[in-house]
Amino acid sequence: IKNDPELGPGWAYCANETHYQNEMDQYGDQTEISNCDSGLHAIDHANTRFSKNCIVNGVGNVVCARHTFVGKTSAGDLKKGEKYCSMDYVLLSTLVNVVVMLLVVSYDIACQWNINFQSRIAEFPPAMRLNLNNISFATVIPKFHILGHGKKCQSLWSLNYRHWMGRTDGEGVEREWSHINPVAMSTKVMGPGARHDTLDDHWGAWNWWKIVLMGRHLETKLKEALPMSKKHHALLNALSATFPAGTVAEWTKMVNDWQEDTSQPNPF
Ligand SMILES: [Zn+2]
């Protein structure tokens, strides 16, 4: 197995294996205690869902939540479930040399992962340390997955309540699995190098098809979004008109204050 090198380690979607594994070796067993009141599989089994018969039990991958593009050097092997160090690595690796002003992370266990993310960043090599103080940073839970979380998480992490999200559902990060999951039936019996090369090939094809079909796709979406935007504005205005103007202004201020600073009282 050691004699199965990758064609281009870290050249495409899989992160550089040597660098990634060296980083992972520095983390012992991270037991991540959940304080979320959800019954979500990923939270309960982040530390336990693995098979002793496999060297690798899956991949962690960073995908654009809006357009479902797979990011560069965005995939790392998971050995014992979704470890935070693996997920942190692939996120930071995707963002190396990328200029971001506003970063929104959509993740089904964002309510837990987010808690110590900033302090965990400090443990990565300097080139990977994202300075969260220089950017606008938010975490959200995808709209379908958030229904599995309790009311507290739903009021804090919903894309519906955050600025600049439009109608993004944040589930783009999950949709790509429908494409790559069946590939695992082949890659599970491959050597490590061939496996990464095959995954890179599939993700490259996925991104290429995205680019080719994006024009037609966006046109269809725009034709639906424009009239629906008008319709929903009219509905909101009609509902608002049933309340005294002072009440609406007061509620709007509560929402704006919370969106600016989530330590303010949460109106949701
Ligand atoms: Zn939660």
Side-chain angles (χ1 to χ4, degrees), residues 19-20 22-30 32 84-86 88-89 92 115-131:
H19 190 264
Y20 173 71
N22 285 345
E23 282 302 310
M24 293 307 104
D25 286 347
Q26 297 177 32
Y27 297 87
D29 269 349
Q30 290 178 310
E32 283 124 13
Y84 289 174
C85 55
S86 295
D88 294 345
Y89 183 100
L92 297 174
I115 297 170
N116 292 315
F117 177 52
Q118 187 146 18
S119 59
R120 293 194 308 269
I121 289 176
E123 297 177 35
F124 282 88
M128 294 180 78
R129 283 180 210 156
L130 180 70
N131 189 341

Side-chain angles (χ1 to χ4, degrees), residues 13-256:
Y13 307 99
C14 293
N16 183 294
E17 180 69 1
T18 311
H19 190 264
Y20 173 71
Q21 293 302 346
N22 285 345
E23 282 302 310
M24 293 307 104
D25 286 347
Q26 297 177 32
Y27 297 87
D29 269 349
Q30 290 178 310
T31 301
E32 283 124 13
I33 308 296
S34 168
N35 63 7
C36 172
D37 46 359
S38 85
L40 267 187
H41 194 72
I43 292 178
D44 289 344
H45 298 275
N47 289 299
T48 54
R49 184 184 55 184
F50 67 96
S51 159
K52 287 188 178 113
N53 298 324
C54 300
I55 297 171
V56 168
N57 285 278
V59 288
N61 190 202
V62 178
V63 174
C64 166
R66 276 210 172 134
H67 304 100
T68 334
F69 283 107
V70 178
K72 61 136 177 97
T73 58
S74 64
D77 291 328
L78 304 178
K79 298 201 166 173
K80 290 183 182 181
E82 277 178 45
K83 288 272 176 197
Y84 289 174
C85 55
S86 295
M87 305 313 288
D88 294 345
Y89 183 100
V90 290
L91 176 63
L92 297 174
S93 160
T94 305
L95 293 171
V96 167
N97 293 330
V98 174
V99 178
V100 282
M101 307 289 280
L102 168 65
L103 178 66
V104 181
V105 174
S106 174
Y107 187 18
D108 63 347
I109 56 169
C111 57
Q112 304 302 307
W113 170 85
N114 172 71
I115 297 170
N116 292 315
F117 177 52
Q118 187 146 18
S119 59
R120 293 194 308 269
I121 289 176
E123 297 177 35
F124 282 88
M128 294 180 78
R129 283 180 210 156
L130 180 70
N131 189 341
L132 295 183
N133 298 320
N134 287 348
I135 60 171
S136 177
F137 176 70
T139 43
V140 293
I141 298 174
K143 280 183 182 174
F144 174 73
H145 285 75
I146 201 170
L147 299 176
H149 290 246
K151 288 270 182 272
K152 190 183 84 192
C153 288
Q154 290 178 22
S155 67
L156 272 173
W157 310 102
S158 171
L159 283 116
N160 286 335
Y161 306 148
R162 300 298 182 106
H163 260 318
W164 321 121
M165 300 301 137
R167 303 310 300 149
T168 303
D169 68 1
E171 292 287 349
V173 296
E174 302 285 348
R175 285 190 191 100
E176 198 276 326
W177 294 119
S178 69
H179 157 246
I180 208 69
N181 274 347
V183 177
M185 297 306 289
S186 301
T187 54
K188 69 192 279 187
V189 293
M190 292 179 184
R195 178 172 163 275
H196 279 180
D197 288 343
T198 304
L199 290 173
D200 275 346
D201 195 23
H202 278 273
W203 281 321
W206 169 268
N207 278 1
W208 185 78
W209 274 112
K210 282 272 154 196
I211 292 274
V212 170
L213 298 173
M214 184 142 286
R216 201 191 308 163
H217 177 72
L218 288 181
E219 186 200 12
T220 313
K221 296 263 182 187
L222 194 63
K223 280 180 178 163
E224 187 185 346
L226 289 175
M228 287 305 276
S229 161
K230 263 190 193 164
K231 188 177 170 182
H232 281 262
H233 266 110
L235 286 169
L236 177 66
N237 290 339
L239 178 69
S240 300
T242 63
F243 296 98
T247 307
V248 174
E250 188 188 328
W251 289 347
T252 306
K253 185 178 181 310
M254 283 172 74
V255 170
N256 288 339

